Amino acid sequence: MRALIIAWSLLLPATAQMPAGIKTAIGSKCLGCHSGTAAKGGLDLTSLQFDLTTRATRDRWVRIHDRIEKGEMPPKGVEFSAADRADMLRQLAPRIAKADLADVAKNGRGPMRRLNRDEYEQDLKDILRLPYLDIRDMLPEDREAHHFNKVSETLDMSRVQLSAYLDASEAALRQAIASTAAPPPVTTFRTSGTNLFPGFRSTGTIRSMYFIRDNKGVNVQQERWTPISKELSESVEMGLFRSPGWPYGAFPRGFAAKHAGEYRVRFSARAVLQHADYHVSDAKHAVPMTFRSRRPTNHDIAEDVKSVGGILEIQPGMKVYETTVPLNAGQTVEYGLLGLPVPQVDAQGRTGSYRYPPLPPDGQPGVAFQWIEIEGPIPPSTWPPPSHRVLFDGLGVSPAPSEPRREASRLLRRFMQSAARGPVPEEAARKFEQLVFAGLGRNEPFTEAMLAGYQAFLCSDLFLYLREPNDNFTVADRLSHFLTNSRPDAKLIESRLRDPGILRSQTDRLIDGPAFDRFVKNFADYWLDLRHLRREDPDKRLYPEYQLDEYLVDSMERETLLFLTAMVRENLPVRNLVQSDFLYVNERLAKHYDFEPVFGAAMRRSPVPKGSPLGGLLTQGAILKVTAHGTSTSPVLRGAWITDRILGEPPPPPPPGVPAVEPDIRGAKTIRDLLAMHTKSSTCASCHAKFDPPGLALENFDVTGHWRTHYRGTAEGKRVSGIDHTGHDFAYTLAGPVDASGTLADGRSFRDVGELKAIFAANPRQLARNVLRQFTVYATGTPVRFSDRAEIEKMLDACAPDGYRTRDLVHALVRSRVFQGELK
């Protein structure tokens, strides 16, 4: 070995300034595994230089440092004392940090980054004053890194992407331009009776919808629908007793929006209960509903169906309700009741295996509608609308100024000044100007020539890219895109953000403002994978109660978003992420979590019941769903997700060719048996020991987070059967019991998820460090560099006395060098 060390020393480049202590430790402890062509992990230390000025080489040494710091290297069996480890890190860390800081000073902490498609759409919404602009899906999906779609290294720009940005910006600009001398005419549509629902009738649908007069169903005694007489058609109510879903689209006859815009919807309705003999009575509680924008067809295929107008609570007793909905030309509004049965024929349209879901003993809730009135599009307060004025000031519709070049220059420079990421260089401004002048020279209409200039600017680096902070505006730009996912408003731009007090007050203003909801949604979508909440439906064989239950999925999503909002706005200690004494529920979630019943769709804050395993992110339905398959839960997936997203310790990728753990849905083998077979290899076992145990602690929760004591299967165990809320027979088995105990890699054991939460909550600094790192990537577009680590620890030190409160972590970040760059 001594000869190997000497030979290795001679091979080192003359420029390598490796400290003698590191050289000796590597030679005696590492070269046995990491030398030559057969070096483990592909790390050949005999050929690895110590030139820390090179980014790629420095990154390799950072990984070496981290493996040593975590105790992962040298492996067990190699003598390496705590003093040896500390000495090696003490020599290595300062040298890496110094080289990394020199790189930051020379090249910046990270490259400027392109707006992602969410930010691009929101920026255009704000600049063009088009709150309902929808161009996001015209742009390619952004690649992700470090959990987010805001990282510079993956936000590249290709010819395909540039073409898409050109198309999207043109679509936005044309929507902003007024093309008529007056706004579209406001029309009022009103209907009632049988015209409230012109949908088709088929066997089995009458229970889900029928017309009512004097609290009795009309023409409901036969198997198929027969028309109501003309004299009755205007005097009946339409009763709906199901959630929306194909093929039963329910919308008023004869209405489709002629123009895009906002429409005011008024309707008269009451909450009722359906009884077995088609009688109805007033409901005991409100029934939640929403409208859905859609085209007037009987299916959702290839149709962008969206909930609009918010959630309305329809009360017992006839009342008039009002809301506002955005519609595209050709769309109508569909009545969408929430949380009720979703009767479905099978895929072949057969009804032989279908029956209407049994009525609850007290009656099936529903809504009886009397009439509906739709008015719109609601005109703007001025014409041309504000969006047109952004582009053409006071020149009116179809502007044709007497001095077109002069007006073009004024308008273009005015627009660039308001939209750019800082001062526009005169040379660049002239290029955009010449583009417009060229169009005017070809006798293009003034509007078209200007559109070309605006479009080019909105696809240029002066608009598309966020820069590293170097002045007040770039700090404002970064802060706003961090906390509102859009460009800064005038108040933020005009604030002196170099002043710590002003920076704090402006940060608080953004957090407390309505646009902060965009941060919460986007941050949760990526950090917590909430965007995948609807990616995989629960297997209807094993979990028939969840089939087509959009109300449950929507409620789970709102729960997590409200929880994160409270964490920041209320400045809660970060331990609440894993162990909180409150949660948010509505009627659907209360039922899902087996709470005492509550009523209504509105989310309300509730204390965690005594003895409940709930509280914190880990046991929220949304988190449990995105970390499970539709068929089964996986301790591997859930455990790896927890260690990565919550603890900040991402597991290494699995070795190539190693298959995933496939569930035995028959129920013959337990998940522990399957894991034991999967981890027979010591290589697999060493990694699985780190993340499987936290996943095992969540095994008491099924694929959508409902508590269970036994697994479900298709063959083994006690049979359970019935009729689901789509009207079809189901049968599954209750197989083996759940064992949620485990032992962490460091030897600490737990009996259930409650004890695991207590273990995690006892180390709030680790939780806070991870949250701060996630904030850093999201806010700056660059992951935490080695030279940032000391500053991260200083931020944590400052927040430690108050328990690492979440808003405090935001404030610590925005006033740091990591966020503000050279301003600090």
Side-chain angles (χ1 to χ4, degrees):
M1 177 62 72
R2 179 176 176 81
L4 179 60
I5 296 173
I6 295 171
W8 177 54
S9 301
L10 293 173
L11 289 172
L12 284 175
T15 56
Q17 302 296 319
M18 182 179 291
I22 296 177
K23 187 184 301 183
T24 300
I26 288 177
S28 61
K29 308 296 183 182
C30 305
L31 290 186
C33 294
H34 296 287
S35 61
T37 56
K40 288 189 176 181
L43 176 61
D44 179 10
L45 290 173
T46 63
S47 62
L48 180 62
Q49 298 183 358
F50 199 70
D51 181 10
L52 298 179
T53 62
T54 303
R55 180 67 183 266
T57 304
R58 186 166 68 248
D59 287 345
R60 296 294 299 272
W61 282 104
V62 168
R63 289 195 290 273
I64 292 169
H65 170 278
D66 292 348
R67 296 291 299 276
I68 294 171
E69 185 180 50
K70 292 176 182 178
E72 297 173 351
M73 288 293 164
K76 291 180 180 179
V78 177
E79 184 179 345
F80 199 63
S81 68
D84 291 337
R85 190 179 305 277
D87 183 62
M88 190 169 183
L89 294 173
R90 189 164 47 247
Q91 295 185 70
L92 187 56
R95 288 170 170 82
I96 298 175
K98 181 179 179 181
D100 197 48
L101 274 174
D103 186 16
V104 171
K106 180 180 179 181
N107 301 308
R109 186 176 167 274
M112 66 179 184
R113 75 166 179 87
R114 171 175 60 79
L115 296 176
N116 63 34
R117 61 179 185 165
D118 301 294
E119 294 167 323
Y120 191 75
E121 180 184 78
Q122 189 59 52
D123 274 35
L124 290 187
K125 283 182 178 181
D126 292 345
I127 291 168
L128 299 177
R129 303 183 67 178
L130 292 172
Y132 297 112
L133 178 66
D134 186 4
I135 50 112
R136 174 182 179 273
D137 290 338
M138 296 179 67
L139 301 170
E141 187 170 1
D142 299 302
R143 294 190 298 137
E144 301 164 34
H146 306 283
H147 305 325
F148 295 107
N149 65 342
K150 290 198 173 197
V151 178
S152 303
E153 66 190 61
T154 56
L155 290 174
D156 51 356
M157 177 61 81
S158 68
R159 185 166 52 186
V160 172
Q161 287 167 317
L162 179 58
S163 177
Y165 274 98
L166 286 167
D167 290 343
S169 59
E170 180 181 9
L173 289 165
R174 291 198 181 279
Q175 187 172 330
I177 297 172
S179 58
T180 58
V186 178
T187 60
T188 300
F189 169 89
R190 183 183 174 102
T191 195
S192 60
T194 57
N195 286 325
L196 289 169
F197 184 11
F200 75 92
R201 313 287 180 261
S202 64
T203 302
T205 64
I206 290 179
R207 285 189 180 274
S208 71
M209 176 269 157
Y210 54 88
F211 294 106
I212 302 165
R213 190 179 190 194
D214 297 330
N215 286 333
K216 298 177 182 177
V218 179
N219 287 12
V220 292
Q221 300 307 319
Q222 58 283 324
E223 198 170 271
R224 283 186 175 272
W225 174 259
T226 57
I228 292 176
S229 64
K230 186 175 181 180
E231 57 267 27
L232 288 179
S233 63
E234 295 298 314
S235 62
V236 298
E237 301 168 77
M238 177 191 70
L240 273 181
F241 304 96
R242 56 166 174 75
S243 291
W246 181 88
Y248 307 111
F251 42 83
R253 182 196 301 273
F255 174 78
K258 292 183 178 180
H259 304 278
E262 287 187 282
Y263 285 76
R264 184 177 296 108
V265 178
R266 297 177 68 246
F267 62 100
S268 178
R270 61 177 175 137
V272 295
L273 289 172
Q274 173 192 179
H275 302 288
D277 57 357
Y278 293 99
H279 280 64
V280 300
S281 62
D282 278 345
K284 297 177 182 177
H285 307 286
V287 174
M289 71 161 290
T290 186
F291 286 103
R292 303 203 307 171
S293 60
R294 58 169 305 147
R295 294 193 178 276
T297 60
N298 276 326
H299 55 77
D300 294 349
I301 299 172
E303 168 63 31
D304 186 18
V305 179
K306 294 181 180 178
S307 293
V308 291
I311 294 178
L312 304 165
E313 301 277 358
I314 308 303
Q315 304 292 331
M318 195 64 72
K319 294 181 177 62
V320 175
Y321 299 86
E322 182 175 317
T323 188
T324 302
V325 302
L327 298 176
N328 294 326
Q331 287 189 320
T332 186
V333 290
E334 179 190 59
Y335 320 98
L337 276 56
L338 304 178
L340 300 183
V342 192
Q344 297 280 297
V345 296
D346 65 17
Q348 287 75 38
R350 298 173 306 195
T351 58
S353 63
Y354 166 83
R355 69 195 76 168
Y356 192 77
L359 296 178
D362 295 332
Q364 173 63 54
V367 171
F369 294 86
Q370 191 177 53
W371 53 263
I372 188 170
E373 181 180 277
I374 306 173
E375 180 185 25
I378 301 171
S381 57
T382 60
W383 193 261
S387 60
H388 185 92
R389 293 174 180 271
V390 167
L391 302 177
F392 299 106
D393 200 10
L395 296 184
V397 177
S398 301
S402 57
E403 299 182 65
R405 290 170 65 95
R406 179 179 175 181
E407 281 299 294
S409 179
R410 178 182 73 85
L411 291 174
L412 183 63
R413 289 171 182 269
R414 170 178 172 264
F415 180 79
M416 290 191 296
Q417 183 178 4
S418 68
R421 307 286 168 198
V424 178
E426 180 58 28
E427 181 181 359
R430 282 199 298 269
K431 289 180 179 178
F432 295 116
E433 198 173 59
Q434 290 303 316
L435 182 63
V436 177
F437 290 171
L440 293 174
R442 294 190 297 269
N443 293 321
E444 291 180 0
F446 185 79
T447 298
E448 292 298 313
M450 290 302 303
L451 187 146
Y454 293 143
Q455 182 185 18
F457 178 77
L458 293 176
C459 295
S460 73
D461 65 321
L462 296 169
F463 180 78
L464 264 180
Y465 284 84
L466 300 175
R467 288 159 173 76
E468 277 289 295
N470 56 24
D471 57 23
N472 197 76
F473 180 88
T474 46
V475 172
D477 212 18
R478 171 171 280 185
L479 183 62
S480 184
H481 281 89
F482 173 29
L483 297 176
T484 73
N485 228 39
S486 187
R487 60 186 294 102
D489 58 17
K491 189 169 185 178
L492 187 61
I493 292 173
E494 294 165 2
S495 298
R496 292 180 294 107
L497 298 178
R498 294 175 186 266
D499 184 311
I502 293 175
L503 176 64
R504 185 177 186 87
S505 67
Q506 286 299 309
T507 301
D508 281 334
R509 180 176 71 87
L510 297 183
I511 290 173
D512 295 329
F516 185 68
D517 289 345
R518 295 198 294 263
F519 160 79
V520 175
K521 178 69 167 67
N522 197 265
F523 186 71
D525 273 354
Y526 285 88
W527 175 40
L528 302 179
D529 280 331
L530 219 60
R531 69 193 185 284
H532 297 319
L533 190 56
R534 293 167 176 82
R535 180 175 60 184
E536 192 169 8
D537 293 330
D539 189 316
K540 62 184 179 183
R541 295 172 299 167
L542 296 171
Y543 303 100
E545 66 268 42
Y546 303 137
Q547 188 183 4
L548 301 175
D549 196 345
E550 173 61 21
Y551 189 26
L552 173 61
V553 177
D554 176 76
S555 299
M556 292 192 299
E557 180 179 37
R558 288 193 286 147
E559 174 193 15
T560 299
L561 295 179
L562 284 170
F563 181 81
L564 286 181
T565 302
M567 286 291 300
V568 180
R569 281 187 171 158
E570 298 176 24
N571 205 14
L572 300 179
V574 75
R575 63 172 174 78
N576 282 275
L577 287 176
V578 296
Q579 190 182 54
S580 70
D581 59 5
F582 73 95
L583 41 67
Y584 289 90
V585 294
N586 62 2
E587 62 180 6
R588 183 64 190 91
L589 283 180
K591 179 181 178 181
H592 186 62
Y593 292 146
D594 296 325
F595 280 16
E596 290 295 318
V598 300
F599 300 99
M603 304 295 291
R604 64 214 72 185
R605 188 161 174 159
S606 172
V608 174
K610 187 176 180 180
S612 171
L614 303 184
L617 286 175
L618 302 187
T619 49
Q620 289 179 8
I623 302 304
L624 293 161
K625 186 176 187 301
V626 299
T627 57
H629 295 300
T631 301
S632 66
T633 59
S634 168
V636 178
L637 288 181
R638 283 179 170 172
W641 189 93
I642 290 170
T643 55
D644 181 13
R645 305 302 172 106
I646 304 301
L647 302 182
E649 297 178 351
V658 176
V661 183
E662 293 296 333
D664 180 352
I665 64 171
R666 297 171 303 159
K669 289 187 176 133
T670 69
I671 189 64
R672 290 178 183 266
D673 292 337
L674 295 167
L675 284 174
M677 294 168 60
H678 183 76
T679 56
K680 284 181 178 179
S681 163
S682 59
T683 303
C684 293
S686 61
C687 284
H688 278 263
K690 298 172 186 175
F691 52 78
D692 283 358
L696 287 168
L698 299 180
E699 281 295 280
N700 275 124
F701 299 93
D702 71 15
V703 296
T704 58
H706 185 256
W707 182 264
R708 66 184 177 188
T709 57
H710 287 75
Y711 294 102
R712 292 187 185 183
T714 58
E716 304 289 331
K718 181 181 176 182
R719 190 172 186 271
V720 178
S721 61
I723 303 172
D724 66 24
H725 62 214
T726 71
H728 295 92
D729 294 325
F730 70 82
Y732 57 82
T733 61
L734 292 179
V738 172
D739 178 4
S741 63
T743 302
L744 299 177
D746 61 10
R748 290 176 294 174
S749 62
F750 55 86
R751 290 177 297 178
D752 53 33
V753 68
E755 291 189 359
L756 179 72
K757 288 181 179 182
I759 291 173
F760 290 161
N763 188 2
R765 191 178 184 96
Q766 181 179 22
L767 300 173
R769 181 182 295 111
N770 178 54
V771 170
L772 197 50
R773 283 172 172 259
Q774 305 302 329
F775 283 164
T776 300
V777 178
Y778 187 88
T780 69
T782 302
V784 173
R785 298 179 62 131
F786 195 91
S787 58
D788 296 332
R789 294 181 182 184
E791 183 124 359
I792 293 288
E793 296 305 314
K794 288 179 184 177
M795 298 181 215
L796 293 172
D797 290 341
C799 296
D802 293 320
Y804 306 102
R805 296 186 300 180
T806 314
R807 189 191 286 235
D808 289 349
L809 293 174
V810 175
H811 281 300
L813 174 61
V814 300
R815 65 173 177 259
S816 71
R817 172 193 61 79
V818 173
F819 186 90
Q820 294 201 24
E822 296 307 313
L823 281 184
K824 197 65 179 171

